[in-house]
Amino acid sequence: MKTANLTPWCNLYSSASKYNIYVTKSRYKALLNAGCIVTSIVLLLLFFTYAYHLALVVASITFLLLSVLLVKQSPEHIILSRFELDSQGLCTFDGNKYYQMQVDSRYSFLGCWLILQPVTAVSTMANTSNDNSKKVCFIYRDSLSNQDFSRLSNVISQLNYQVHSQS
């Protein structure tokens, strides 16, 4: 005699294939901006003067301070954004804004470059809006946990694999 299961298999699969991704404030962005500004100042200093020693001292002190800031770990992680990610690349923001992750999305050692297309109906993935208003965003790697970055990069890899296997 077989007992009836209270939870259908399709509901188990749909809940297991959705991930909550939490995006926190990134330190890489501030360090990258500061590094670009200091490099520009040092290059201008070298271009307009012959103060090579001064430029070397400024660059050394700056890189030392930036490395200390990079090593210093902040115990608090303020969550800036949260979204739900499906294994097929469907992103849900605030429970009512739906976006489909495009194949052009990429990930690297620095972070994830996401290209999102608004979706008008969740039931079918083919119903993307026709206005070509793609959302582009970059998420630094340090603003994601290791598990969230792994999930996000796996979804991007699966999207690319599906497109290349269909071709």
Side-chain angles (χ1 to χ4, degrees):
M1 181 167 138
K2 206 172 199 182
T3 59
N5 192 353
L6 297 177
T7 308
W9 283 104
C10 61
N11 286 347
L12 285 176
Y13 178 73
S14 67
S15 65
S17 64
K18 292 182 181 177
Y19 313 113
N20 286 324
I21 307 293
Y22 296 99
V23 181
T24 59
K25 189 174 180 180
S26 175
R27 288 188 325 214
Y28 285 176
K29 182 178 181 180
L31 292 175
L32 186 67
N33 290 339
C36 289
I37 290 170
V38 168
T39 303
S40 301
I41 290 170
V42 168
L43 287 176
L44 286 174
L45 184 67
L46 287 175
F47 184 70
F48 290 116
T49 67
Y50 292 105
Y52 296 113
H53 297 290
L54 179 62
L56 184 61
V57 167
V58 168
S60 303
I61 291 174
T62 303
F63 288 125
L64 180 68
L65 290 175
L66 289 178
S67 64
V68 167
L69 289 175
L70 184 62
V71 170
K72 181 182 170 187
Q73 294 292 331
S74 175
E76 64 183 45
H77 294 286
I78 301 169
I79 297 174
L80 297 177
S81 177
R82 184 190 76 78
F83 63 94
E84 190 173 281
L85 178 66
D86 194 353
S87 62
Q88 284 79 31
L90 182 68
C91 299
T92 307
F93 293 91
D94 300 328
N96 58 0
K97 297 177 186 173
Y98 299 99
Y99 292 93
Q100 175 63 41
M101 192 179 302
Q102 298 298 304
V103 181
D104 300 337
S105 300
R106 299 286 183 249
Y107 65 93
S108 70
F109 68 96
L110 194 57
C112 296
W113 187 260
L114 303 180
I115 300 175
L116 304 170
Q117 179 80 27
V119 176
T120 55
V122 180
S123 60
T124 60
M125 299 301 246
N127 288 342
T128 57
S129 60
N130 296 330
D131 59 355
N132 291 333
S133 60
K134 292 183 180 178
K135 305 283 186 198
V136 179
C137 66
F138 186 80
I139 302 174
Y140 286 93
R141 187 175 184 149
D142 73 328
S143 62
L144 296 169
S145 68
N146 289 336
Q147 188 176 19
D148 287 345
F149 182 78
S150 176
R151 288 175 176 165
L152 195 56
S153 60
N154 282 338
V155 169
I156 292 171
S157 296
Q158 287 175 1
L159 286 174
N160 288 329
Y161 178 74
Q162 288 173 0
V163 168
H164 293 303
S165 66
Q166 291 175 358
S167 302

